[in-house]
């Protein structure tokens, strides 16, 4: 974990009263209800809850992958522009996501070189050190070598695929990453390695994370602060160690009791 930044800096990302509603045959379903929090430079905020609690919806709202019903999102103190605006497209370079499923997130018809080069093509950017050098550097940063560039996703294990996903997310040197349950599809030992990789990358690159999870032990290990969601609402937010050791909410107590410890050995 990084030292708390809450007293030393303005928020990098701030959500104010986020609400998301969907029309149903029986009326309107509100899946996110008035959620507010801030994420400070260099820290990791964990957003925790059971499936259906609304945490992944919040993450996608923050990145403008889905539209808000109401509320506001700020990045470096400025409100995020509409999803399809040119300004938002430029901001996407600085805000990236690592998805939950490492198998579905990679195009099986593309070699790794094309997968990692795609962000540069989309944003019309040429790395100053050269594209091949940049792609090799990205792979090295996640514990792979350049022999991966000529291979297809099916030739890799689940943990290796998630490392490729992380490399792609880092391609344009973002400041902020949303990590949407990045190890839930991996076995425990491989997941522990990926968590430690993310922790090391944060220290090396000065990244800020929103970490989506249902695992309180993972949140305790990786995060500085934690926000707990139930039925679309925040029920508790605070320092990760304090919340995990002395939860104020009965729901948080239930989450802690229901999650087995995950061994996270140093890599």
């Amino acid at each position: 974990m990084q030292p708390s930044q809450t007293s030393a800096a303005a928020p990098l990302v701030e959500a104010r009263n986020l609400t998301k509603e969907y029309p149903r045959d029986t009326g309107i379903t509100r899946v996110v209800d008035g959620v507010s929090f801030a994420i400070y430079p260099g820290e990791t905020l964990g957003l925790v809850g059971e499936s259906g609690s609304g945490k992944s919806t919040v993450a996608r709202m923050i990145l403008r992958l889905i539209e808000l019903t109401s509320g506001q999102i700020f990045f470096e103190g400025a409100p995020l522009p509409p999803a399809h605006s040119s300004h938002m497209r430029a901001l996407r370079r600085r805000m990236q996501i690592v998805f939950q499923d490492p198998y579905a997130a990679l195009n099986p018809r593309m070699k790794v070189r094309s997968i990692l080069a795609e962000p540069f093509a989309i944003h019309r950017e040429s790395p100053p050190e050269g594209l091949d050098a940049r792609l090799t550097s990205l792979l090295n940063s996640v514990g792979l070598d350049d022999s991966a560039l000529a291979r297809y996703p099916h030739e890799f294990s689940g943990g290796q695929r998630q490392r490729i996903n992380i490399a792609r997310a880092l391609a344009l040197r973002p400041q902020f990453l949303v990590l949407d349950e990045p190890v839930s599809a991996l076995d425990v030992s491989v997941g522990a390695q990926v968590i430690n990789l993310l922790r090391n990358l944060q220290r090396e690159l000065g990244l800020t994370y929103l970490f989506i999870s249902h695992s309180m032990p993972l949140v305790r290990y990786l995060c500085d602060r934690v926000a707990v969601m139930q039925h679309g609402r925040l029920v508790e937010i605070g320092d990760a160690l304090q919340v995990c050791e002395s939860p104020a909410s009965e729901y948080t107590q239930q989450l802690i009791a229901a999650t087995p410890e995950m061994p996270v050995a140093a890599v």
Side-chain angles (χ1 to χ4, degrees), residues 53-264:
S53 63
K55 57 189 186 297
S56 290
T57 301
V58 167
R60 283 160 173 76
M61 291 165 73
I62 285 176
L63 294 177
R64 286 290 204 211
L65 298 178
I66 59 175
E67 283 300 320
L68 291 66
T69 301
S70 63
Q72 290 182 296
I73 302 165
F74 296 83
F75 187 79
E76 293 188 324
L80 284 187
H84 300 297
S85 69
S86 59
H87 187 199
M88 189 63 221
R89 176 172 175 158
L91 279 175
R92 291 196 189 283
R93 303 162 49 88
R94 303 165 66 189
M95 309 168 68
Q96 292 290 315
I97 185 169
V98 177
F99 291 103
Q100 176 178 359
D101 188 346
Y103 298 92
L106 299 177
N107 187 331
R109 298 180 180 87
M110 294 173 66
K111 291 183 178 179
V112 169
R113 188 185 192 284
S114 297
I115 290 170
L116 296 184
E118 192 172 34
F120 299 100
I122 290 172
H123 290 273
R124 301 177 183 177
E125 177 177 315
S126 297
E129 69 270 42
L131 182 60
D132 287 343
R134 178 71 176 139
L135 300 187
T136 297
S137 176
L138 284 169
L139 287 171
N140 292 163
S141 72
V142 298
L144 299 173
D145 62 47
D146 60 3
S147 67
L149 292 171
R151 297 161 64 190
Y152 288 97
H154 74 268
E155 300 179 67
F156 297 91
S157 67
Q160 290 171 327
R161 292 188 200 197
Q162 197 63 300
R163 289 172 185 263
I164 294 167
N165 282 318
I166 293 167
R168 178 176 58 185
L170 295 175
L172 298 175
R173 295 189 169 97
Q175 296 164 267
F176 174 60
L177 287 187
V178 171
L179 308 170
D180 190 3
E181 303 211 41
V183 298
S184 64
L186 306 175
D187 67 42
V188 171
S189 61
V190 173
Q193 293 170 13
V194 171
I195 287 295
N196 278 293
L197 170 65
L198 290 167
R199 195 181 192 189
N200 293 337
L201 286 169
Q202 183 178 43
R203 290 170 174 166
E204 293 167 9
L205 302 176
L207 297 167
T208 302
Y209 291 156
L210 174 61
F211 181 69
I212 311 297
S213 183
H214 60 271
S215 169
M216 295 301 289
L218 271 182
V219 165
R220 176 173 179 160
Y221 177 77
L222 186 66
C223 299
D224 301 289
R225 293 183 301 123
V226 58
V228 183
M229 288 191 67
Q230 181 185 27
H231 303 318
R233 296 184 177 183
L234 284 185
V235 297
E236 186 166 359
I237 186 167
D239 176 81
L241 292 178
Q242 182 177 347
V243 169
C244 289
E245 292 180 358
S246 303
S249 163
E250 182 178 351
Y251 177 71
T252 307
Q253 296 171 17
Q254 294 170 357
L255 280 180
I256 294 170
T259 310
E261 289 292 327
M262 177 178 179
V264 188

